Amino acid sequence: MLNNIQLLIDFPVFNLQLLLDGLMIGAIFALAAYGLALVWGVMNVKNLAQGEFVIMGGYIAYYLSIDAVVRIGIPGTDITFFEVMKPGVNPLWALPVVIPIMFGFGWLMYFLIIRYVIDRDLFTSLLATFGAAIVIQQVLNLIFGPDVQTAESGLGTRILFGSVTIQEIRVLSLIIAGILAALVVLFMKNSRMGQAIRATAQDPRAARVMGIDTDRVYAFTFSLNAAICGAAGVLISMIWVIQPFYGIAHSIRSFVIVVAAGLGNLPGVIVTAFGLGALEQYGGFALGAEFQQAVVVGLLIVVLVVRQIMQARHRQVVR
Amino acid sequence: MAISIGRYTRRGALTIMGVATAALLAAPAAQAKVEGDTIILGSAISLTGKYSTNGIHAQNGYELAVKRINDMGGVKVGGKSYKLKVVYYDDESTPARGAQLAERLIKQDGVQYMLGPYSSGMTKAIAPVTEKYQIPMVEAEGASRSLFTQGYRYLFAVLSTSEQYLASSIALAAEIAEKNGKKPSDVKIAMAFENDPFSQDVRAGVMDDAKKYNMQIIIDDKLPRDLSDMSTTLTKVRAVKPDLLVVSGHSKGAATAARQLAEMKINVPMVAVTHCEAAKIVAKFGATTNDILCPTQWAETLSYSDEYFGTAAEYDALFKATFDGYKNVPYQAAQASAAVIVWKDAFERANSFDRDKVRDALAATDMMTFYGGIRFAPEGNNIAKPMVLRQIQNGTYNVVAPSKYASHPVNWPRKAPGS
């Protein structure tokens, strides 16, 4: 470990590599974390299927990127009504496809599950979304199999200062994530639905009195979250690898970011996501790839302890 | 098809068990090891369930060798010719079922000579049973090192064990260093292994061999189970410039390594990765995977040969002609055939059907087959056959090491793709 840190001091250029890699992947973490902050803040539902939404988006991108035979018929039989060869396209084109599909999926999941747990206690919503996460994992496993998959953007790599590599897809992802985040912020500020969402978040009862259909607001919020996660998944599938059971890592990251930033603190979510991305890279470098994700959980513990101390101090003052 | 076999077996099992119980009451179990002029081998193998694909490959391997040996005049013991026959039961890919079936093969069917099941896990379940009844078993599909640390006396394996998977890359690195006028002890190794029993076995093998040559290990990273990013390890690789990078993490390790090596344009003269074929890295990442080394148990291009099947290539051709639907012959089938050849050889050398004499003959096996050399260590693992290394050269896997069996020269140094 000390050797590795010494290495960073001796060759400062590698700091740049880790920082850039971390910031660019952090932008994608920010997307999923922002979706979670939205659902958590507006609906008070802690969605444990967050990572599964990301992976679903990734698998749709992967599926679009490969040549496949699309067959519509009766499963388990040879009866086929319709069969066509689907050529693979660049997975970047999956973005406009994934966003509506995942939005629809979120809507469906809201009306099938979330609607019934939204005003129950914390434990019920955790259990329900955890169950949904397991179902999504297993369905993905049945459809795509347990092997890891990747989607290829076909973009190249640039070299800076002779030894820092920047994958163009990561830069593009940073830009796309930025545009998506800006769109969502603008939407929340300016559109009627955005205003309704913010009103519901402040006080659902008052919002209902004002004539806001809060059920619809909740459904929209949850679907928006699923769509954002799906978009993050498309980017992830082109940068990392996806596998049906990899969702949990993304769920944990989203939780850590939202908890560390504090609810309702959008700039905080973005800064924390960038920070977490960079921290993961440094953790992986200094301690080995095995501890890359352990750093995330470690950060969560630190944040919780610090908050606890701060809150305790606050109470003393009040007393 | 596979499902119907499973059903038949399960239903048949009840009937056979009933009949067998009746027979047991009436008379002591018949010694069915040799019936007339037929030697009976037994195997519980996965014909249904999650291992069924490879289980069926192994069964086909057994059957091809049995047919070949019978066609060539059978097994000669005591001046008489005997035919071989294998009794199979479907273990449904569950270890508990495998152990039950092994017990049934031995106690009720009177089988005295066993062939192995598919996978290390199933072999681990069955070996204690064969050991208890002192029934010799030649297995072809369980590579885990832990099978050979239990002190089993009746277990013999024809395949190379897991710690050998990447060890040959160390030998190759030493060879190349010497050719370039350097000392093997100058070779610097970077290692990245998943933290699971298989990959840690592989790591132990690399460590042993690296120590033998006194090589320096400058990176020793563990990869997580849900690995999706190893860019930090590769950044380290770029910083410390090793001569050899070895990676083992099942197919996710192969996919992640292949992708990020290319994306980050990492320049390491030699890269060896397990599970390249399973991760389909050539199809996924194309020319960027060129010159990556991948270990395999067996390849049809090897120059091994024997009197039964001829060369590895001839085995490959015969297998494809015998069984439909094979584009490539899986090594799982080849090693299963080799296990049957080992039995034949042992019977003839023992010149007896006495179980202990046959067991001692097995232990003294020292032969060449189309699958490679076979000689058992006292622990039962095969120490005569190296793992071979294939290198991805223009999208095809060519054997490059050990040099004795290489079909193509190794491309060295590996250049970062696109540089």
Side-chain angles (χ1 to χ4, degrees), chain A residues 97-111:
Chain A
V97 179
V98 164
I99 290 173
I101 290 181
M102 289 306 294
F103 191 92
F105 180 79
W107 198 277
L108 191 74
M109 188 166 152
Y110 177 80
F111 279 100

Side-chain angles (χ1 to χ4, degrees), chain A residues 17 151 157 240 246 290, chain B residues 195 222 227 238 252 259 263:
Chain A
Q17 174 84 61
T157 301
W240 285 357
Y246 275 6
E290 191 188 16
Chain B
N195 201 2
K222 282 189 179 138
L227 169 77
R238 179 184 289 144
K252 57 180 172 283
R259 169 177 241 179
E263 283 186 346

Side-chain angles (χ1 to χ4, degrees), chain B residues 237-238 241-245 261 266-271 413-416:
Chain B
V237 165
R238 179 184 289 144
K241 299 190 177 60
D243 301 295
L244 167 65
L245 169 68
L261 275 169
I266 300 292
N267 247 325
V268 180
M270 214 174 134
V271 178
R414 177 178 197 264
K415 283 266 172 359

Side-chain angles (χ1 to χ4, degrees), chain A residues 109-315:
Chain A
M109 188 166 152
Y110 177 80
F111 279 100
L112 285 180
I113 303 168
I114 307 300
R115 189 156 63 122
Y116 301 102
V117 299
I118 193 159
D119 32 58
R120 301 289 179 82
D121 58 8
L122 166 76
F123 195 60
T124 316
S125 75
L126 280 178
L127 267 185
T129 52
F130 186 55
I134 293 174
V135 171
I136 296 172
Q137 286 167 10
Q138 295 297 345
V139 169
L140 287 176
N141 188 24
L142 279 177
I143 301 174
F144 296 103
D147 282 333
V148 291
Q149 303 294 358
T150 55
E152 293 309 312
S153 63
L155 295 177
T157 301
R158 309 253 167 149
I159 300 183
L160 287 186
F161 310 117
S163 57
V164 175
T165 48
I166 297 183
Q167 288 95 298
E168 286 165 8
I169 181 63
R170 291 194 185 216
V171 179
L172 190 61
S173 295
L174 180 70
I175 296 168
I176 292 174
I179 293 173
L180 285 174
L183 283 177
V184 173
V185 170
L186 282 178
F187 172 82
M188 295 295 281
K189 278 240 162 79
N190 299 325
S191 72
R192 290 296 285 171
M193 182 50 104
Q195 288 170 346
I197 290 175
R198 284 188 294 139
T200 311
Q202 280 175 11
D203 189 336
R205 255 185 84 188
R208 265 197 294 273
V209 170
M210 297 299 170
I212 292 173
D213 181 355
T214 50
D215 210 29
R216 217 171 134 248
V217 166
Y218 287 149
F220 191 91
T221 309
F222 197 77
S223 310
L224 186 63
N225 167 43
I228 297 173
C229 286
V234 173
L235 303 178
I236 285 284
S237 74
M238 291 184 288
I239 295 177
W240 285 357
V241 296
I242 50 169
Q243 203 253 0
F245 304 105
Y246 275 6
I248 183 76
H250 295 287
S251 293
I252 291 176
R253 277 191 195 102
S254 304
F255 268 86
V256 173
I257 292 168
V258 174
V259 170
L263 268 182
N265 179 2
L266 179 58
V269 165
I270 292 171
V271 171
T272 315
F274 282 136
L276 190 75
L279 190 72
E280 267 196 26
Q281 295 291 311
Y282 272 97
F285 190 92
L287 305 169
E290 191 188 16
F291 293 101
Q292 196 158 327
Q293 284 168 31
V295 171
V296 180
V297 188
L299 180 71
L300 178 65
I301 294 173
V302 171
V303 167
L304 288 177
V305 168
V306 169
R307 293 236 152 154
Q308 193 65 36
I309 292 169
M310 278 165 63
Q311 267 184 359
R313 197 181 289 160
H314 186 64
R315 273 191 210 121

Side-chain angles (χ1 to χ4, degrees), chain B residues 331-346:
Chain B
Y331 67 76
Q332 287 88 352
Q335 56 206 25
S337 296
V340 178
I341 298 177
V342 166
W343 267 122
K344 189 230 176 206
D345 180 68

